[in-house]
Each structure stands twice: as C-alpha cells, then as structure tokens.
Amino acid sequence: MDSGKPIKIFIADCSRDFRTLLTDYIGMEQDMVVVGSSGSCAESAELVGKLLPDVLVTDLLLQSGSGLALINKVRALPRAPHIIVVTAYCADSAMSELGKLNIGGCLVKPCVFADVAAIARQCVRSARPSWSDRELDAEISAALSAFGIVPHLRGFRFLREAIKRVILDPEQSRGVTKSLYPDLAKQLGTTPQNIERAIRCAITSGVKNGDPLRRDEYFRRVADVLPRSLTNAKFIALCAHLSAERLAAARRRDVV
C-alpha cells in the first residue's frame, strides 16, 4: 500500500449503530477511510471483493451467515484484506477457530475504537512490501513460467511489469484498462492496445501449452478455476497476490 493513501476499512456488523459509530470515529482519522459497511455476510463478501479494502472489521454474528464464513470467503480473494474481529460472542469453539486463521486482531465488545484503528495501522504497516526489483522480477518470472508463459513471448515482459506494479500498489488492479495499460505503454514505448493484446496472447499460450502439474503445484487452491473466465485483470491480480505471498514467506524464513 502507498504510504500516502488512506487505509481503507470495511465494516461488517449486524448493529447499524455500531457501524455508524465506528464509521464516524474512523472519519476523524486522517489516515483512514471507511469504504463500505453491511450487516450481511453475503453482501459483505460481495462488497469486499469489489471495494478491495485494506482491512475488514467484522463481528462473528452476521445476517445470512457467520463472521467465520465471511473471513474464509474473503481470504480466498486474490487480494485478501487484513482481518480484525470485534465481537461480544466469545464461545470457546469460535475462539478456537479464530486462533487457526492468523487474523490481525480480536477485540471484545464494548471496545475502544482507538484500539481498532491502532490494530488496522499495525496490520497495514507491517505488510507494506519492501522488496528489491531483483526479488520481484525473480518471483514474478517464476509464477509466469509455472503457468506456462515462456520468456521469449512479448507478453511475458508486459505481464511482469504489470504484476510488479500491482504488488507495489494494489489499487492499480482496479484500473487495468484505464490506468495500468496506459502507464505501461508510456514506460515501454508502445500502445495500451498492444499491451493488452500481448498479455492476452501470453495467457492463452500458457493455458494451451503449460504443464498442468506444474501450474497446479504453484497456483494451489485456485488451479482448478484458472482456465475458466480468466481475464487479463484477474490473472494479473492473482499472480500479484501469490507472488507477494511467496516473497513474504521467504522473508519470514530469512528472519527466522
């Protein structure tokens, strides 16, 4: 996340009063903004996928589903938000499940809203990428090769640069045709149309010619849906998410 941009928060809570009060509090914080809220599990999952918040603040008791179900749904997104649970429901079974999910934090209602803001900042700041161009290029190239996209294809370079930009600024995944392609075209001395066409050809080539076993191994839980409805934007976002995950995991291993 760009340090100059506000932290985007989504609130999922059955209580309209709670949503209103927390929204009002965050509205007074200069580095945060509430991008949406809902009391429904299903609607929250849909809106989080569209609005791409940095942090999801959720209760465990929601309409049309549970907070745990919502957490599992959003964690499967190409760009999953950090999770903060704020709840009065503290059953042992629920707390046990939360302990397995590696969430950003859990607060018991009634809570201090300043604590919610502090945890959100901690989650986002600790997650900001600080990888070198060499590290990014190597990991992204590994992802593209695993998918079956060979380096001599023109779209390979375009994809690598596009994915790198989305890793460093996930907002760019929301404006692929309007901002990402034009910016890449200026950088690489071509046109947005050529960028889009070359990327499309590269993805198609990977689907047709790549090794399914190698692709499945790298892309794990999403491998079964890759060949269907795979737009350029979805592929770029997915590769950015997986590459960032693998880079972060490697960094943690180095620290240990």
Side-chain angles (χ1 to χ4, degrees), residues 60-78:
L60 290 180
L61 301 177
L62 299 173
Q63 300 165 10
S64 75
S66 69
L68 289 171
L70 174 61
I71 291 170
N72 285 319
K73 287 180 181 179
V74 302
R75 283 170 66 91
L77 294 171

Side-chain angles (χ1 to χ4, degrees), residues 32-217:
M32 295 183 180
V33 61
V34 174
V35 295
S37 67
S38 174
S40 161
C41 174
E43 183 180 40
S44 293
E46 180 180 357
L47 289 173
V48 168
K50 291 179 179 178
L51 298 172
L52 301 178
D54 301 301
V55 178
L56 167 64
V57 178
T58 183
D59 198 343
L60 290 180
L61 301 177
L62 299 173
Q63 300 165 10
S64 75
S66 69
L68 289 171
L70 174 61
I71 291 170
N72 285 319
K73 287 180 181 179
V74 302
R75 283 170 66 91
L77 294 171
R79 184 194 164 198
H82 301 282
I83 309 292
I84 300 174
V85 172
V86 181
T87 187
Y89 179 68
C90 300
D92 289 344
S93 58
M95 294 299 104
S96 176
E97 285 299 311
L98 281 181
K100 301 174 185 177
L101 294 175
N102 191 29
I103 62 172
C106 181
L107 297 172
V108 177
K109 291 180 177 178
C111 68
V112 178
F113 288 156
D115 292 341
V116 178
I119 294 173
R121 289 189 186 96
Q122 178 68 25
C123 288
V124 172
R125 288 172 180 168
S126 64
R128 284 177 181 155
S130 58
W131 302 297
S132 67
D133 280 347
R134 184 175 180 178
E135 288 175 307
L136 288 166
D137 285 346
E139 188 56 54
I140 295 167
S141 295
L144 296 177
S145 296
F147 190 78
I149 300 174
V150 293
H152 72 259
L153 291 176
R154 194 179 186 200
F156 185 98
R157 182 189 178 198
F158 295 163
L159 273 167
R160 187 174 62 192
E161 293 303 316
I163 293 165
K164 185 190 300 185
R165 283 173 175 256
V166 171
I167 290 175
L168 297 176
D169 182 10
E171 281 293 311
Q172 294 215 28
S173 67
R174 302 185 66 184
V176 170
T177 56
K178 292 184 178 180
S179 60
L180 184 58
Y181 290 160
D183 289 348
L184 282 175
K186 291 178 183 178
Q187 174 188 339
L188 302 173
T190 184
T191 67
Q193 293 76 18
N194 285 342
I195 296 278
E196 182 173 19
R197 186 163 49 248
I199 287 177
R200 182 74 255 154
C201 289
I203 294 172
T204 300
S205 174
V207 170
K208 290 182 178 179
N209 303 318
D211 180 352
L213 293 178
R214 187 181 177 200
R215 182 163 60 230
D216 290 356
E217 180 181 2

Side-chain angles (χ1 to χ4, degrees), residues 76-78 147 200 203 207 212 215-216 219-231 234-235 238 242:
L77 294 171
F147 190 78
R200 182 74 255 154
I203 294 172
V207 170
R215 182 163 60 230
D216 290 356
F219 288 87
R220 304 191 312 276
R221 63 183 181 276
V222 293
D224 59 329
V225 300
L226 280 174
R228 301 193 299 272
S229 303
L230 188 60
T231 64
K234 286 182 180 179
F235 183 73
L238 175 62
L242 291 179

